[in-house]
């Protein structure tokens, strides 16, 4: 279990660093560079929520929640580093979170299904030695505005603390819907194409 948590924390750090890069360059270039996070996770075989949710078996949901918790801790560590940066990362992150809040929890949850599907597809191909879906899939979900529960938690932890506390209930509801939407998307192939 300790090895699982360590792996999940490291995966969160990888995604947090990718998110840091995206906040520094919020454009198609930043979206492409974000793929570094998932490439690292897959290459090191780390435990990422969206890289695991589409492959879990019955009785492993508790393990998946531990992975998500570890991912959040890893993102928090990078978010603390981001607060030292002279770049306007907090303002950019707040813009992303504000847009999510305006979109609303239900719509963000539905959009998150797209991200989950892309992530499981990318990881499936990467496990077979083909990283092209990963290299294209990550920028695709970012440019489509499909929320990713680990990337999003990094953005949320980077925003000014006052904004977080003022909107805590709405953010918690939003985040839960994104986690569930990602889970559904990660399992969409298994749900529709049961063998």
């Amino acid at each position: 279990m300790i090895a699982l948590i360590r792996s999940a924390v490291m995966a969160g750090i990888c995604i947090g660093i990718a998110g840091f890069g995206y906040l520094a360059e919020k454009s198609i270039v930043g979206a492409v560079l974000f793929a570094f996070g998932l490439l690292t996770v897959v290459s090191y075989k780390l435990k990422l929520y969206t890289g695991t949710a589409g492959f879990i078996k019955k009785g492993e949901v508790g393990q998946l929640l531990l992975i998500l918790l570890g991912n959040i801790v890893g993102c928090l560590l990078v978010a603390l580093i981001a607060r030292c940066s002279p770049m306007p990362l907090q303002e950019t992150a707040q813009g992303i979170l504000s847009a999510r809040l305006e979109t609303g929890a239900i719509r963000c949850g539905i959009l998150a299904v797209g991200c989950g599907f892309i992530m499981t597809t990318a990881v499936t191909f990467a496990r077979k030695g083909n990283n092209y879906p990963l290299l294209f899939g990550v920028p695709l979900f970012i440019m489509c505005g499909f929320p990713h529960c680990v990337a999003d938690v990094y953005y949320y932890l980077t925003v000014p603390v006052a904004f977080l506390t003022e909107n805590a209930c709405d953010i918690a509801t939003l985040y839960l819907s994104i986690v569930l939407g990602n889970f559904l998307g990660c399992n969409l192939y298994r749900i529709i194409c049961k063998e």
Side-chain angles (χ1 to χ4, degrees):
M1 184 182 299
I2 292 174
L4 176 78
I5 293 170
R6 285 180 180 172
S7 178
V9 169
M10 195 66 222
I13 289 170
C14 293
I15 298 302
I17 289 171
F20 191 118
Y22 180 64
L23 292 179
E25 180 57 49
K26 191 173 178 278
S27 66
I28 185 66
V29 172
V32 169
L33 292 175
F34 197 106
F36 167 83
L38 189 57
L39 274 168
T40 307
V41 166
V42 169
S43 296
Y44 283 128
K45 298 180 180 170
L46 300 173
K47 292 294 185 181
L48 182 68
Y49 176 85
T50 52
T52 307
F55 305 98
I56 65 165
K57 298 177 179 83
K58 286 185 179 179
E60 294 180 343
V61 174
Q63 201 175 55
L64 189 62
L65 294 176
L66 272 178
I67 290 169
L68 181 59
L69 180 61
N71 293 164
I72 291 169
V73 170
C75 285
L76 174 61
L77 295 173
V78 180
L80 293 173
I81 293 168
R83 294 182 183 281
C84 299
S85 175
M87 294 182 282
L89 304 177
Q90 291 185 358
E91 292 81 3
T92 306
Q94 185 173 331
I96 292 170
L97 178 51
S98 294
R100 298 272 199 258
L101 289 168
E102 284 179 32
T103 302
I106 293 173
R107 288 168 55 197
C108 279
I110 293 167
L111 289 169
V113 172
C115 176
F117 177 76
I118 291 169
M119 291 295 291
T120 295
T121 302
V123 170
T124 298
F125 279 88
R127 288 180 175 186
K128 296 174 182 177
N130 182 354
N131 286 331
Y132 288 117
L134 188 153
L135 292 171
F136 291 107
V138 172
L140 176 63
F141 85 69
I142 291 172
M143 300 313 293
C144 289
F146 295 160
H148 181 282
C149 64
V150 181
D152 272 36
V153 84
Y154 168 73
Y155 303 141
Y156 301 174
L157 294 170
T158 303
V159 301
V161 175
F163 187 83
L164 271 180
T165 54
E166 288 169 19
N167 299 285
C169 289
D170 290 337
I171 292 170
T173 304
L174 172 70
Y175 187 67
L176 180 60
S177 73
I178 290 170
V179 170
L180 294 174
N182 281 169
F183 182 83
L184 179 60
C186 286
N187 288 284
L188 199 59
Y189 184 84
R190 292 201 291 187
I191 292 168
I192 294 175
C193 299
K194 285 183 180 177
E195 294 180 9

